[in-house]
Amino acid sequence: MDPQHYMRLALELARSASEQTSPNPLVGAVCVKDGRILGTGAHLKAETPHAEVHALAMAGANSIGADLYVTLEPCAHTGKTPSCTDLIISSGIQRVFVASIDPNPSVNGAGIGLLKVAGIEVITGILQEEAEQLNQAFFHFIRYGKPYVTLKATATLNGRLSTQNGDSKWITSAASRTDVHHLRHTHDAILVDVQTVLHDNPFLTTRLPHGGKNPIRINLDRHLRTPNQRMLLQTAL
Amino acid sequence: MDPQHYMRLALELARSASEQTSPNPLVGAVCVKDGRILGTGAHLKAETPHAEVHALAMAGANSIGADLYVTLEPCAHTGKTPSCTDLIISSGIQRVFVASIDPNPSVNGAGIGLLKVAGIEVITGILQEEAEQLNQAFFHFIRYGKPYVTLKATATLNGRLSTQNGDSKWITSAASRTDVHHLRHTHDAILVDVQTVLHDNPFLTTRLPHGGKNPIRINLDRHLRTPNQRMLLQTAL
């Protein structure tokens, strides 16, 4: 029943949409009044409603006087639809609990500021660390203007990857290869050098037991040495 | 990405509405297509929409060809609103994953039967044990027609609760007293005998750090010996 309890649920909802909101961040929202959950929501896909919209729609008229828990500061920019900040104000929400501040220059405190101006109490910092961890790729991109990169490296004891005549076997374990496919599923793109394409002829697709999202495949090949027969070019995503 | 993954989320959503759905069971639902979550929902309160309604409303037209995960068999009886079974069929859902069968005589397999007749694939038994555990009070009530009872008992080494002149102190620890208030929060009613009311003069209310739901207070007092001044009668809920 404490604020962390509801924020943890909002984080869980946010996490449920992992790998499906890019380039947007993962966000969850929970609407609560008198210890009773009135609405829950998560942002599920770019260009579809934000988490707050789902949670407030579910709460309906009961949102008047209620608390709203959001894992990321509500947006403040009005586009095709009203901003979440406006929606929260017009829904009669009394208190807003925010886990992490949106570093996006178009928000970055503006959402919270507008809520306060409207007389809404705003409590920040609830489970902030978990919330920032959840969106580390998004935060990194906004802060540094660069993609968040995961490097996959393999090594052998003697530094060799194949025998003299090019024979080679998997260096990594089955668990590590499952990890790789999970990483492909959770990343927007995968980048290799043409040498990898020439020697390993990889698909670079996601092959998990129950499917998964394929990353965009980037092949650094400045002299266009990739032959047509490579798997990379033979498999459509 | 496996069925358990989505069912676990549905169970988490169901659990989030703990203590607020009685006399209805806790139910969660998740709508998924191509490894992408399209909608989530929980039943939040009796006489408000079922979990499936929220999840399918969030998914909208995308529900065509999607999978639906529900922690309890969908209802089959049409009342003021269409049954969830009808809604699932008209939403174009292709597969339904069900954790536990609804033992309620008005459902009890009928929901699943109607789905199958409509050509929908139904997969049962996913995380069934967790789902039944979640609604053990509901299942007990439906199966035996009796309330699910939690007995709170305290004991001392010598079997005495007070000194000869009636002096007494708490026997239980602070942790145990917090437990008691959590139990009050999660139960519909609390029952004591008039002797407890006369000797201890309890409030029988829920006093947790962040509030909570008060149970209905039942005092077994067949000779109407409870004086008006008792806390039980002096505190409105």
Side-chain angles (χ1 to χ4, degrees):
Chain A
M1 247 67 50
D2 63 7
Q4 294 209 354
H5 170 81
Y6 297 113
M7 193 60 88
R8 211 170 293 286
L9 175 62
L11 282 169
E12 188 62 34
L13 285 159
R15 190 174 291 113
S16 77
S18 291
E19 313 96 36
Q20 60 184 60
T21 61
S22 179
N24 287 356
L26 296 169
V27 189
V30 175
C31 183
V32 181
K33 188 157 73 176
D34 301 331
R36 184 183 276 277
I37 292 175
L38 303 174
T40 59
H43 180 50
L44 297 173
K45 191 183 177 186
E47 293 175 34
T48 73
H50 289 182
E52 298 92 324
V53 177
H54 289 306
L56 290 172
M58 205 180 288
N62 291 321
S63 63
I64 297 170
D67 294 338
L68 188 70
Y69 291 80
V70 281
T71 58
L72 187 69
E73 179 182 11
C75 71
H77 43 275
T78 307
K80 286 170 235 161
T81 53
S83 71
C84 286
T85 303
D86 287 343
L87 180 65
I88 290 167
I89 294 168
S90 66
S91 299
I93 290 291
Q94 193 169 307
R95 293 192 299 182
V96 176
F97 293 80
V98 177
S100 58
I101 310 297
D102 191 341
N104 196 322
S106 72
V107 189
N108 199 9
I112 289 174
L114 288 170
L115 292 174
K116 287 184 173 170
V117 166
I120 293 173
E121 187 183 348
V122 181
I123 300 96
T124 55
I126 315 279
L127 300 184
Q128 179 173 347
E129 206 170 317
E130 286 91 325
E132 295 198 348
Q133 176 69 25
L134 188 66
N135 281 313
Q136 58 179 347
F138 170 77
F139 279 98
H140 185 89
F141 174 70
I142 295 291
R143 283 186 182 132
Y144 305 109
K146 290 176 184 169
Y148 183 85
V149 175
T150 303
L151 178 69
K152 186 217 165 191
T154 54
T156 58
L157 274 178
N158 67 4
R160 313 271 171 174
L161 296 176
S162 65
T163 61
Q164 207 161 14
N165 59 20
D167 286 347
S168 165
K169 287 201 127 190
W170 275 322
I171 298 168
T172 51
S173 67
S176 157
R177 288 193 298 276
T178 300
D179 267 2
V180 161
H181 286 280
H182 189 75
L183 286 172
R184 290 180 183 180
H185 171 63
T186 57
H187 283 65
D188 287 340
I190 182 168
L191 182 147
V192 294
D193 177 78
V194 66
Q195 294 291 350
T196 297
V197 175
L198 293 175
H199 290 294
D200 290 354
N201 192 15
F203 288 92
L204 301 181
T205 53
T206 300
R207 297 183 299 280
L208 289 166
H210 298 276
K213 192 178 64 59
N214 286 314
I216 293 168
R217 299 171 297 177
I218 303 170
N219 172 18
L220 296 182
D221 179 17
R222 67 157 81 178
H223 300 297
L224 299 178
R225 289 189 289 154
T226 305
N228 268 332
Q229 295 70 25
R230 295 290 101 174
M231 290 305 181
L232 202 60
L233 299 174
Q234 297 292 318
T235 46
L237 294 192
Chain B
M1 245 65 49
D2 63 8
Q4 294 208 353
H5 171 81
Y6 298 113
M7 193 60 89
R8 212 170 293 286
L9 175 62
L11 282 169
E12 189 61 35
L13 286 159
R15 190 174 289 113
S16 77
S18 290
E19 314 97 37
Q20 61 185 60
T21 62
S22 179
N24 287 356
L26 297 168
V27 189
V30 175
C31 183
V32 180
K33 187 157 72 176
D34 301 331
R36 183 183 278 277
I37 292 176
L38 302 173
T40 59
H43 181 50
L44 297 173
K45 191 183 178 186
E47 293 174 34
T48 74
H50 289 182
E52 297 92 324
V53 177
H54 289 306
L56 291 171
M58 206 180 288
N62 291 321
S63 63
I64 296 170
D67 294 337
L68 187 70
Y69 292 80
V70 281
T71 59
L72 187 69
E73 180 183 10
C75 72
H77 43 275
T78 307
K80 284 170 234 160
T81 52
S83 71
C84 286
T85 303
D86 286 343
L87 180 66
I88 291 167
I89 294 167
S90 66
S91 298
I93 290 291
Q94 193 169 308
R95 291 191 300 180
V96 176
F97 294 80
V98 176
S100 56
I101 310 297
D102 191 340
N104 197 322
S106 72
V107 188
N108 199 9
I112 289 175
L114 288 169
L115 292 174
K116 286 184 174 170
V117 166
I120 294 173
E121 187 183 350
V122 182
I123 299 97
T124 55
I126 314 280
L127 300 184
Q128 180 173 348
E129 206 170 316
E130 288 89 327
E132 296 198 348
Q133 176 68 26
L134 189 65
N135 281 313
Q136 56 179 348
F138 170 76
F139 279 97
H140 185 90
F141 174 70
I142 295 291
R143 283 185 181 133
Y144 306 108
K146 290 175 184 170
Y148 183 85
V149 175
T150 304
L151 178 70
K152 185 217 164 189
T154 54
T156 58
L157 274 179
N158 66 4
R160 315 271 173 175
L161 297 175
S162 66
T163 61
Q164 207 160 16
N165 58 20
D167 286 348
S168 165
K169 286 202 128 188
W170 274 322
I171 297 166
T172 51
S173 67
S176 156
R177 288 192 299 276
T178 299
D179 268 1
V180 161
H181 286 280
H182 189 74
L183 286 172
R184 290 179 183 180
H185 172 62
T186 57
H187 283 65
D188 288 339
I190 182 169
L191 181 147
V192 294
D193 178 75
V194 64
Q195 295 290 352
T196 297
V197 175
L198 292 175
H199 289 295
D200 289 356
N201 191 15
F203 287 92
L204 301 182
T205 53
T206 300
R207 298 184 297 281
L208 289 165
H210 297 276
K213 191 179 64 60
N214 287 312
I216 294 169
R217 300 171 295 177
I218 303 170
N219 173 18
L220 296 182
D221 180 16
R222 68 157 80 177
H223 300 297
L224 298 178
R225 289 189 291 153
T226 305
N228 267 331
Q229 294 72 24
R230 295 288 102 173
M231 288 309 181
L232 202 60
L233 299 175
Q234 297 291 318
T235 44
L237 294 191

